Protein backbone atom coordinates (compact mmCIF):
# COMPACT_ATOMS: atom_id res chain seq x y z
CA UNK A 1 0.00 0.00 0.00
CA UNK A 2 1.37 3.40 -0.99
CA UNK A 3 0.90 6.88 0.37
CA UNK A 4 -2.77 7.82 0.52
CA UNK A 5 -4.48 11.06 -0.42
CA UNK A 6 -8.09 11.54 0.65
CA UNK A 7 -10.90 13.63 -0.78
CA UNK A 8 -12.37 15.34 2.29
CA UNK A 9 -15.54 17.42 2.64
CA UNK A 10 -17.27 19.15 5.53
CA UNK A 11 -20.39 17.07 4.89
CA UNK A 12 -19.93 13.35 4.26
CA UNK A 13 -19.88 12.25 0.65
CA UNK A 14 -22.53 9.68 -0.23
CA UNK A 15 -21.77 7.09 -2.89
CA UNK A 16 -24.86 8.11 -4.93
CA UNK A 17 -23.67 11.74 -4.92
CA UNK A 18 -20.24 10.63 -6.07
CA UNK A 19 -21.72 8.60 -8.91
CA UNK A 20 -23.74 11.59 -10.13
CA UNK A 21 -20.90 14.12 -9.90
CA UNK A 22 -17.95 12.39 -11.53
CA UNK A 23 -19.17 11.77 -15.10
CA UNK A 24 -19.73 15.47 -15.91
CA UNK A 25 -16.21 16.12 -14.56
CA UNK A 26 -14.74 13.58 -17.02
CA UNK A 27 -14.26 10.61 -14.71
CA UNK A 28 -15.64 7.09 -14.98
CA UNK A 29 -16.82 4.90 -12.11
CA UNK A 30 -16.12 1.19 -12.55
CA UNK A 31 -18.14 -1.63 -10.96
CA UNK A 32 -15.15 -2.25 -8.70
CA UNK A 33 -15.77 1.26 -7.28
CA UNK A 34 -12.55 2.47 -8.87
CA UNK A 35 -12.56 5.91 -10.48
CA UNK A 36 -10.55 6.30 -13.67
CA UNK A 37 -9.67 9.15 -16.01
CA UNK A 38 -8.74 8.99 -19.65
CA UNK A 39 -5.47 9.92 -21.30
CA UNK A 40 -4.12 9.11 -24.78
CA UNK A 41 -6.92 6.66 -25.57
CA UNK A 42 -6.60 4.68 -22.34
CA UNK A 43 -8.02 4.88 -18.84
CA UNK A 44 -5.93 5.15 -15.72
CA UNK A 45 -6.86 4.75 -12.03
CA UNK A 46 -7.28 7.89 -9.98
CA UNK A 47 -9.08 6.81 -6.78
CA UNK A 48 -11.26 4.17 -5.24
CA UNK A 49 -14.31 4.30 -3.01
CA UNK A 50 -13.92 2.80 0.48
CA UNK A 51 -16.58 4.78 2.31
CA UNK A 52 -14.57 7.78 1.18
CA UNK A 53 -12.48 8.57 -1.88
CA UNK A 54 -8.86 7.50 -1.55
CA UNK A 55 -6.06 7.68 -4.06
CA UNK A 56 -2.55 6.26 -3.99
CA UNK A 57 -0.87 8.35 -6.68
CA UNK A 58 2.16 7.08 -8.51
CA UNK A 59 2.52 10.17 -10.69
CA UNK A 60 1.98 13.92 -10.64
CA UNK A 61 -0.79 13.32 -13.19
CA UNK A 62 -2.70 11.22 -10.66
CA UNK A 63 -2.25 13.94 -8.02
CA UNK A 64 -3.60 16.50 -10.52
CA UNK A 65 -6.57 14.26 -11.32
CA UNK A 66 -7.29 13.78 -7.61
CA UNK A 67 -7.20 17.55 -7.19
CA UNK A 68 -9.60 17.96 -10.13
CA UNK A 69 -11.89 15.28 -8.66
CA UNK A 70 -11.83 17.03 -5.26
CA UNK A 71 -12.83 20.32 -6.87
CA UNK A 72 -15.72 18.64 -8.74
CA UNK A 73 -17.03 17.35 -5.40
CA UNK A 74 -16.53 20.60 -3.48
CA UNK A 75 -13.88 18.96 -1.35
CA UNK A 76 -10.23 19.27 -0.32
CA UNK A 77 -7.38 16.90 -1.12
CA UNK A 78 -5.53 15.92 2.05
CA UNK A 79 -2.53 13.65 2.56
CA UNK A 80 -2.30 11.09 5.33
CA UNK A 81 0.17 13.34 7.18
CA UNK A 82 -2.24 16.31 7.07
CA UNK A 83 -0.76 18.17 4.12
CA UNK A 84 -3.27 19.96 1.87
CA UNK A 85 -3.06 20.01 -1.93
CA UNK A 86 -4.49 23.01 -3.79
CA UNK A 87 -4.47 24.74 -7.14
CA UNK A 88 -3.44 28.39 -7.13
CA UNK A 89 -2.89 30.44 -10.28
CA UNK A 90 -2.64 27.27 -12.35
CA UNK A 91 0.02 25.68 -10.11
CA UNK A 92 -0.46 22.66 -7.84
CA UNK A 93 0.79 23.42 -4.35
CA UNK A 94 1.17 21.40 -1.17
CA UNK A 95 0.91 23.10 2.22
CA UNK A 96 2.67 21.15 4.95
CA UNK A 97 4.34 22.07 8.20
CA UNK A 98 3.83 25.78 7.62
CA UNK A 99 5.54 25.67 4.23
CA UNK A 100 4.13 25.77 0.70
CA UNK A 101 5.75 23.64 -2.00
CA UNK A 102 4.99 23.70 -5.72
CA UNK A 103 4.48 20.44 -7.60
CA UNK A 104 4.13 22.04 -11.02
CA UNK A 105 1.79 23.64 -13.51
CA UNK A 106 -1.55 21.87 -13.61
CA UNK A 107 -2.04 22.02 -17.39
CA UNK A 108 1.47 20.76 -18.13
CA UNK A 109 1.06 17.87 -15.69
CA UNK A 110 -2.31 16.88 -17.19
CA UNK A 111 -0.90 17.06 -20.72
CA UNK A 112 2.15 14.96 -19.78
CA UNK A 113 -0.04 12.06 -18.68
CA UNK A 114 0.33 9.36 -16.07
CA UNK A 115 4.03 8.58 -16.35
CA UNK A 116 5.06 6.90 -13.09
CA UNK A 117 7.46 8.53 -10.69
CA UNK A 118 10.98 7.16 -10.77
CA UNK A 119 12.10 5.31 -7.63
Amino acid sequence: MGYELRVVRESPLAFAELARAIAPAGFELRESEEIVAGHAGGTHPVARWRGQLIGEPGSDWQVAQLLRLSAALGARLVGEDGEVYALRDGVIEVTSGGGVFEIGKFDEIIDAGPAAWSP
Side-chain angles (χ1 to χ4, degrees), residues 11 22 26 30 39 43 50 52 69 71 78-79 95 103 107 116:
S11 60
I22 63 168
R30 300 268 171 93
H39 182 79
T43 57
R50 291 196 306 193
Q52 65 178 345
L69 180 58
V78 180
T95 302
I103 292 179
D107 291 338

Side-chain angles (χ1 to χ4, degrees), residues 14-79:
F15 182 77
E17 183 180 2
L18 168 70
R20 284 190 308 270
I22 63 168
F27 295 96
E28 178 185 336
L29 179 62
R30 300 268 171 93
E31 284 186 35
S32 63
E33 297 183 347
E34 180 179 54
I35 296 165
V36 297
H39 182 79
T43 57
H44 306 275
V46 172
R48 68 189 172 293
W49 178 258
R50 291 196 306 193
Q52 65 178 345
L53 276 177
I54 298 173
E56 291 181 33
S59 70
D60 287 345
W61 182 85
Q62 287 172 311
V63 173
Q65 293 292 354
L66 280 164
L67 192 56
R68 195 168 68 88
L69 180 58
S70 297
L73 296 168
R76 297 178 299 130
L77 185 60
V78 180

Side-chain angles (χ1 to χ4, degrees), residues 7 37 60 117:
V7 176
D60 287 345
W117 289 318

Side-chain angles (χ1 to χ4, degrees), residues 89-115:
D89 298 327
V91 175
I92 299 173
E93 296 180 336
V94 181
T95 302
S96 177
V100 177
F101 310 93
E102 289 185 0
I103 292 179
K105 294 183 180 179
F106 180 84
D107 291 338
E108 291 176 3
I109 291 169
I110 292 294
D111 290 345

